[in-house]
Amino acid sequence: MAFFQILTVVAFILVAKPSTSSSACENSTISTNFSQTKINYRETSNPSKTSTESFKNYIKTSCNSTTYPSICYSSLSPYAAKIEADPTKLCIVSLSLAYKAAKSASSTISKILKKNNMTGIAEQVVQDCFVNVKDSIGELKDSLDSLFHLDGADRKFQINNIKTWVSASITDDQTCSDGFDEMNVDSTFTEKIRNLVLDVARKTSNALYFINNNLY
């Protein structure tokens, strides 16, 4: 795999502005510190239209077996020319998108906590959710970092760690949602948080499917 090419793709994913039209139901750099290192995104290939369509078909076929195929295809298809038909690139890009969604959710929850005058149970539940999402971000970051450092000697051990971290990330997202249900907290802003975290969980679930089935 072209290591620099994948790094540029991930950097582009992490710095690109999120779409304002997507919803949870619809749909930088990988290092020990994502925020301190920058890699400029550059086009590394110029595939023909036929090739791009072929790569999109590969993504569509791959996504059809995931738990959330529609979200999977809508989020990954813009990167078809970069993923090509490479299963490892598919894992990396899908996990990068989950990481980006988690970062976005964390930023929004932080703003809600600062701007809304919440008290009592509502504030505690949102605070707990914020902590869970931050934990999810850390686990996804560790997973991505490990994906870029797979080697022959410890490859199986590293892949098992990646699977554990990604699974834990999904659990953290679920814990956030459960908190709203258990404490019966409901309002406009909590529904917004639910949708954001649900989007993270679904994208992470799809990424885990690819990791389970494409990394050996």
Side-chain angles (χ1 to χ4, degrees), residues 46-59 77 80-81:
N46 184 26
S48 66
K49 181 178 180 180
T50 301
S51 296
T52 301
E53 288 305 312
S54 176
F55 298 150
K56 285 186 177 181
N57 286 335
Y58 166 74
I59 292 173
S77 58

Side-chain angles (χ1 to χ4, degrees), residues 16-187:
K17 293 182 179 180
S19 170
T20 58
S21 60
S22 61
S23 69
C25 294
E26 301 168 341
N27 129 154
S28 177
T29 297
I30 303 305
S31 66
T32 52
N33 190 325
F34 287 76
S35 62
Q36 292 181 356
T37 308
K38 294 182 180 180
I39 292 180
N40 292 327
Y41 174 77
R42 294 200 298 263
E43 290 292 337
T44 55
S45 62
N46 184 26
S48 66
K49 181 178 180 180
T50 301
S51 296
T52 301
E53 288 305 312
S54 176
F55 298 150
K56 285 186 177 181
N57 286 335
Y58 166 74
I59 292 173
K60 186 174 183 179
T61 300
S62 300
C63 285
N64 282 340
S65 298
T66 64
T67 308
Y68 308 101
S70 179
I71 292 173
C72 178
Y73 182 74
S74 64
S75 61
L76 290 174
S77 58
Y79 305 96
K82 299 304 176 183
I83 294 171
E84 298 176 324
D86 187 314
T88 302
K89 292 178 181 178
L90 183 66
C91 292
I92 292 173
V93 174
S94 61
L95 196 57
S96 297
L97 289 170
Y99 174 77
K100 180 181 179 181
K103 291 274 286 184
S104 178
S106 174
S107 176
T108 299
I109 296 171
S110 177
K111 291 176 182 177
I112 288 174
L113 282 168
K114 292 176 180 178
K115 292 182 179 180
N116 289 276
N117 296 320
M118 290 179 292
T119 58
I121 293 176
E123 182 181 19
Q124 185 60 55
V125 171
V126 176
Q127 284 281 8
D128 290 344
C129 178
F130 180 65
V131 171
N132 286 318
V133 173
K134 295 291 285 186
D135 288 342
S136 176
I137 290 171
E139 288 147 357
L140 292 174
K141 176 182 174 181
D142 288 341
S143 301
L144 278 166
D145 188 58
S146 291
L147 271 177
F148 281 101
H149 295 87
L150 289 176
D151 57 54
D154 296 325
R155 184 180 177 86
K156 185 174 181 180
F157 174 74
Q158 291 168 333
I159 291 174
N160 285 335
N161 281 340
I162 290 169
K163 292 178 180 179
T164 299
W165 285 323
V166 177
S167 296
S169 174
I170 296 172
T171 299
D172 286 327
D173 297 333
Q174 185 60 55
T175 300
C176 168
S177 297
D178 290 344
F180 290 108
D181 295 333
E182 292 170 3
M183 303 308 294
N184 195 30
V185 177
D186 191 20
S187 69

